Amino acid sequence: MGVEKMVCLVSRTGRQFQRYNKGRRQVVGCIPYRFKLSSDGKFSDELEILVISSQKGHAMMFPKGGWELDESVEEAAARESLEEAGVLGNIGHQLGKWDFLSKSRGTYYEGLMFPMLVTEQLDLWPEQHARQRIWMNVVDAREACRDWWMKEALDVLVERLSSPINQPKENKTISISIETMC
């Protein structure tokens, strides 16, 4: 008789362990991207950006959520991308920090965004029944994204990737064990 391994795929909930800066909840996210495959199976220089629907399905955005006390900022960004979009990848250098007004809460948040070069797209992920994910070209992704600060982060990413001088010398590989999410 074989031994079955149960993998727990659930999103973290609650805000009791989340970080705040000067009274503003800190949220962290990623802009997942990849280079489109050409018809000959080689990577092109055309970017594809992954956008996801909000939980209520009325808006498109990039994965983001609360930064918790027990994780680095890069780990939080990678976790949110796994939970909300079902993707894993290499986290690059921070794109920036934005103060924005939460539409649902009516309070200001501090948002930090990172690029994620996607290396794996999972078939099963924690919020697959609550969200849709769609790969788009940069123009369509910018138009679809509802939040001005996320659009600015996308602009920074595109500028960084189009200018060899601005490209980081290394990307951090953040590994998230699915088991640690339980």
Side-chain angles (χ1 to χ4, degrees):
M1 182 193 275
V3 176
E4 290 185 32
K5 182 177 180 183
M6 181 69 163
V7 176
C8 177
L9 284 174
V10 295
S11 295
R12 289 187 176 193
T13 59
R15 295 196 173 167
Q16 66 271 28
F17 299 115
Q18 294 192 353
R19 294 176 189 252
Y20 289 80
N21 182 22
K22 299 176 185 167
R24 294 181 179 191
R25 181 173 171 239
Q26 292 182 297
V27 296
V28 178
C30 278
I31 300 178
Y33 72 96
R34 66 185 182 191
F35 293 95
K36 189 173 184 176
L37 283 176
S38 57
S39 57
D40 63 2
K42 295 182 180 176
F43 287 106
S44 70
D45 58 357
E46 185 181 343
L47 274 180
E48 290 185 306
I49 307 295
L50 185 65
V51 295
I52 61 169
S53 63
S54 65
Q55 283 188 321
K56 295 178 182 146
H58 302 303
M60 300 304 283
M61 62 187 61
F62 303 120
K64 64 116 177 86
W67 176 13
E68 304 214 349
L69 296 171
D70 65 344
E71 59 193 354
S72 72
V73 67
E74 294 90 357
E75 288 169 338
R79 176 181 51 77
E80 289 297 335
S81 295
L82 172 61
E83 288 177 359
E84 295 185 354
V87 292
L88 302 169
N90 299 325
I91 304 289
H93 294 284
Q94 184 175 315
L95 296 168
K97 180 168 52 172
W98 291 265
D99 290 327
F100 66 95
L101 183 64
S102 167
K103 290 177 173 70
S104 63
R105 304 259 180 207
T107 59
Y108 280 94
Y109 285 14
E110 181 179 89
L112 298 93
M113 292 296 285
F114 292 83
M116 173 188 270
L117 177 58
V118 173
T119 57
E120 188 174 354
Q121 181 172 307
L122 304 174
D123 293 329
L124 301 172
W125 72 97
E127 297 184 19
Q128 71 185 46
H129 298 295
R131 299 181 188 274
Q132 292 183 327
R133 62 182 179 192
I134 304 167
W135 286 99
M136 298 181 171
N137 66 43
V138 172
V139 172
D140 291 342
R142 191 177 196 291
E143 187 175 311
C145 184
R146 81 164 175 209
D147 297 314
W148 65 269
W149 66 279
M150 288 187 176
K151 291 179 189 213
E152 284 189 9
L154 179 57
D155 293 344
V156 173
L157 173 61
V158 170
E159 173 66 26
R160 184 181 290 175
L161 292 176
S162 65
S163 173
I165 295 169
N166 292 334
Q167 287 187 10
K169 300 223 179 338
E170 62 184 59
N171 276 341
K172 291 185 181 181
T173 301
I174 302 297
S175 58
I176 291 227
S177 157
I178 293 175
E179 290 84 8
T180 63
M181 293 179 55
C182 299

